[in-house]
Coordinates of all heavy atoms in Angstrom, one line a residue:
P91 N 119.1 83.3 90.0 CA 119.4 84.4 89.1 C 118.2 84.8 88.3 O 118.1 86.0 87.8 CB 120.4 83.7 88.1 CG 121.0 82.6 88.9 CD 119.9 82.1 89.8
A92 N 117.2 83.9 88.2 CA 115.9 84.3 87.4 C 115.1 85.4 88.1 O 114.3 86.0 87.5 CB 115.1 83.1 87.2
K93 N 115.4 85.6 89.4 CA 114.6 86.6 90.1 C 114.8 88.0 89.5 O 113.9 88.9 89.6 CB 115.0 86.6 91.6 CG 116.4 87.1 91.9 CD 116.7 87.0 93.4 CE 118.1 87.5 93.7 NZ 118.5 87.3 95.1
E94 N 116.0 88.3 89.0 CA 116.3 89.6 88.4 C 115.3 89.9 87.3 O 114.9 91.1 87.2 CB 117.7 89.7 87.9 CG 118.8 89.4 89.0 CD 118.7 90.4 90.2 OE1 118.2 91.6 90.0 OE2 119.0 90.0 91.3
E95 N 115.0 88.9 86.5 CA 114.1 89.2 85.4 C 112.7 89.5 85.9 O 112.0 90.4 85.4 CB 114.0 87.9 84.5 CG 113.1 88.1 83.3 CD 113.1 86.8 82.4 OE1 113.9 85.9 82.6 OE2 112.2 86.7 81.5
I96 N 112.2 88.8 86.9 CA 110.9 89.0 87.5 C 110.9 90.4 88.1 O 109.9 91.2 87.9 CB 110.6 87.9 88.5 CG1 110.6 86.6 87.9 CG2 109.2 88.2 89.2 CD1 110.3 85.4 88.9
I97 N 111.9 90.8 88.9 CA 111.9 92.1 89.6 C 111.9 93.2 88.5 O 111.2 94.2 88.7 CB 113.2 92.2 90.5 CG1 113.1 91.2 91.6 CG2 113.4 93.6 91.0 CD1 114.4 91.1 92.5
E98 N 112.7 93.0 87.5 CA 112.7 94.0 86.4 C 111.3 94.3 85.8 O 110.9 95.4 85.6 CB 113.7 93.6 85.3 CG 113.9 94.6 84.2 CD 114.8 94.1 83.1 OE1 115.5 93.1 83.3 OE2 114.8 94.8 82.1
K99 N 110.6 93.2 85.6 CA 109.3 93.3 85.0 C 108.3 94.0 86.0 O 107.5 94.8 85.6 CB 108.7 91.9 84.6 CG 109.5 91.3 83.4 CD 108.8 89.9 83.0 CE 109.6 89.3 81.9 NZ 109.5 90.0 80.6
I100 N 108.4 93.6 87.2 CA 107.5 94.2 88.2 C 107.8 95.6 88.4 O 106.9 96.5 88.4 CB 107.6 93.4 89.6 CG1 107.1 92.0 89.5 CG2 106.9 94.2 90.7 CD1 107.3 91.2 90.7
I101 N 109.1 96.0 88.5 CA 109.4 97.4 88.7 C 109.0 98.2 87.5 O 108.5 99.4 87.6 CB 111.0 97.6 88.9 CG1 111.4 96.9 90.3 CG2 111.4 99.0 88.9 CD1 110.8 97.6 91.5
H102 N 109.1 97.6 86.3 CA 108.7 98.3 85.1 C 107.2 98.6 85.1 O 106.8 99.7 84.8 CB 109.0 97.4 83.9 CG 108.5 98.0 82.6 ND1 109.1 99.1 81.9 CD2 107.5 97.6 81.8 CE1 108.5 99.4 80.8 NE2 107.5 98.5 80.7
F103 N 106.4 97.6 85.5 CA 105.0 97.9 85.6 C 104.6 98.9 86.7 O 103.8 99.8 86.5 CB 104.2 96.5 85.9 CG 104.0 95.7 84.8 CD1 104.6 94.4 84.7 CD2 103.2 96.1 83.7 CE1 104.4 93.6 83.6 CE2 103.0 95.3 82.6 CZ 103.6 94.0 82.6
V104 N 105.3 98.8 87.8 CA 105.0 99.8 88.9 C 105.4 101.2 88.5 O 104.7 102.2 88.7 CB 105.8 99.4 90.2 CG1 105.7 100.5 91.2 CG2 105.3 98.1 90.7
D105 N 106.6 101.4 87.8 CA 107.0 102.7 87.3 C 106.0 103.3 86.3 O 105.8 104.5 86.3 CB 108.4 102.6 86.7 CG 109.5 102.5 87.8 OD1 109.2 102.9 88.9 OD2 110.6 102.0 87.5
N106 N 105.4 102.4 85.5 CA 104.5 102.9 84.5 C 103.1 103.2 85.1 O 102.2 103.7 84.4 CB 104.3 101.8 83.4 CG 105.6 101.8 82.5 OD1 106.3 102.8 82.5 ND2 105.8 100.7 81.8
T107 N 102.9 102.8 86.3 CA 101.6 103.1 87.0 C 101.7 104.4 87.7 O 102.3 104.5 88.8 CB 101.2 102.0 88.0 OG1 101.2 100.7 87.3 CG2 99.8 102.2 88.6
K108 N 101.2 105.5 87.2 CA 101.3 106.8 87.8 C 100.0 107.1 88.6 O 99.0 107.4 88.1 CB 101.4 107.9 86.6 CG 102.5 107.6 85.6 CD 103.9 107.6 86.3 CE 105.0 107.4 85.2 NZ 106.3 107.4 85.8
V109 N 100.2 106.8 89.9 CA 99.0 106.9 90.8 C 98.5 108.3 90.8 O 97.3 108.6 90.9 CB 99.4 106.5 92.2 CG1 98.3 106.7 93.2 CG2 99.9 105.1 92.3
G110 N 99.4 109.3 90.7 CA 98.9 110.7 90.8 C 98.1 111.2 89.6 O 97.4 112.2 89.7
V111 N 98.2 110.5 88.5 CA 97.4 111.0 87.3 C 96.2 110.0 87.0 O 95.6 110.1 85.9 CB 98.3 111.1 86.1 CG1 99.4 112.1 86.3 CG2 98.9 109.7 85.7
L112 N 95.9 109.1 87.9 CA 94.8 108.2 87.6 C 93.4 108.8 87.7 O 92.5 108.4 87.1 CB 94.9 107.0 88.6 CG 96.0 106.0 88.4 CD1 96.0 104.9 89.5 CD2 95.8 105.3 87.0
G113 N 93.3 109.9 88.5 CA 92.0 110.5 88.8 C 91.3 109.7 89.9 O 91.7 108.7 90.4
T114 N 90.2 110.3 90.2 CA 89.4 109.7 91.4 C 89.0 108.3 91.1 O 89.1 107.4 91.9 CB 88.2 110.6 91.7 OG1 88.6 111.9 91.9 CG2 87.5 110.0 92.9
V115 N 88.4 108.1 89.9 CA 87.9 106.7 89.5 C 89.0 105.7 89.4 O 88.9 104.6 89.9 CB 87.1 106.8 88.2 CG1 86.6 105.4 87.8 CG2 85.9 107.7 88.4
G116 N 90.1 106.1 88.8 CA 91.2 105.2 88.6 C 91.8 104.8 89.9 O 92.2 103.7 90.2
L117 N 92.0 105.8 90.8 CA 92.6 105.6 92.1 C 91.6 104.6 93.0 O 92.1 103.7 93.7 CB 92.8 106.9 92.9 CG 93.4 106.8 94.3 CD1 94.8 106.1 94.2 CD2 93.5 108.1 94.9
A118 N 90.3 104.9 92.8 CA 89.4 104.0 93.5 C 89.5 102.6 93.1 O 89.4 101.7 93.9 CB 87.9 104.6 93.4
M119 N 89.6 102.4 91.8 CA 89.7 101.0 91.2 C 91.0 100.4 91.7 O 91.0 99.2 92.0 CB 89.7 101.1 89.7 CG 88.3 101.4 89.1 SD 87.1 100.1 89.6 CE 87.8 98.7 88.8
L120 N 92.1 101.2 91.8 CA 93.4 100.7 92.2 C 93.3 100.2 93.7 O 93.7 99.1 94.0 CB 94.4 101.8 92.1 CG 95.9 101.3 92.1 CD1 96.2 100.6 90.8 CD2 96.8 102.5 92.2
I121 N 92.6 101.0 94.5 CA 92.5 100.6 95.9 C 91.5 99.4 96.0 O 91.7 98.5 96.9 CB 91.9 101.8 96.7 CG1 93.0 102.9 96.8 CG2 91.5 101.4 98.1 CD1 92.5 104.2 97.4
Y122 N 90.5 99.4 95.2 CA 89.6 98.3 95.2 C 90.3 97.0 94.9 O 90.0 95.9 95.6 CB 88.4 98.5 94.2 CG 87.5 97.3 94.0 CD1 86.6 96.9 95.0 CD2 87.7 96.5 92.9 CE1 85.8 95.8 94.8 CE2 86.9 95.3 92.8 CZ 86.0 95.0 93.7 OH 85.2 93.9 93.5
M123 N 91.2 96.9 93.9 CA 91.9 95.7 93.6 C 92.7 95.2 94.8 O 92.8 94.0 95.0 CB 92.8 96.0 92.4 CG 92.0 96.2 91.1 SD 91.0 94.8 90.6 CE 92.3 93.6 90.3
V124 N 93.4 96.2 95.5 CA 94.2 95.8 96.6 C 93.3 95.3 97.7 O 93.7 94.2 98.4 CB 95.0 97.0 97.1 CG1 95.8 96.7 98.3 CG2 96.0 97.5 96.0
I125 N 92.2 96.0 98.0 CA 91.4 95.5 99.1 C 90.7 94.2 98.8 O 90.5 93.3 99.7 CB 90.3 96.6 99.4 CG1 90.9 97.8 100.0 CG2 89.2 96.1 100.3 CD1 89.9 99.0 100.3
S126 N 90.4 93.9 97.5 CA 89.8 92.6 97.2 C 90.8 91.5 97.5 O 90.4 90.4 97.8 CB 89.4 92.6 95.7 OG 90.6 92.7 94.9
L127 N 92.1 91.8 97.3 CA 93.1 90.7 97.6 C 93.1 90.4 99.1 O 93.0 89.2 99.5 CB 94.5 91.2 97.2 CG 95.7 90.3 97.7 CD1 95.5 88.9 97.1 CD2 97.0 90.9 97.3
I128 N 93.1 91.4 100.0 CA 93.1 91.2 101.4 C 91.8 90.6 101.8 O 91.7 89.7 102.7 CB 93.4 92.5 102.2 CG1 94.7 93.1 101.6 CG2 93.5 92.2 103.7 CD1 95.0 94.4 102.3
Q129 N 90.7 91.0 101.2 CA 89.4 90.4 101.5 C 89.3 88.9 101.2 O 88.8 88.1 102.0 CB 88.3 91.1 100.7 CG 86.9 90.6 101.0 CD 85.8 91.3 100.2 OE1 86.0 92.4 99.7 NE2 84.7 90.6 100.0

């Protein structure tokens, strides 16, 4: 049952991350964070 609380927090953060309004630098930093994980 505790998973619902985690999912709610994650979805909240994702919804508040507006990829379209980040700009070039913000989008580049977002992609860099993701690539650093896979690296």
Side-chain angles (χ1 to χ4, degrees):
K93 69 183 178 183
E94 301 301 331
E95 182 182 347
I96 301 176
I97 293 171
E98 182 182 348
K99 291 182 182 297
I100 291 175
I101 295 295
H102 175 73
F103 279 119
V104 172
D105 283 338
N106 287 340
T107 305
K108 308 296 182 184
V109 178
V111 297
L112 285 176
T114 304
V115 177
L117 182 60
M119 287 300 296
L120 201 67
I121 294 174
Y122 170 77
M123 291 298 296
V124 176
I125 289 179
S126 67
L127 171 61
I128 307 180
Q129 180 181 337

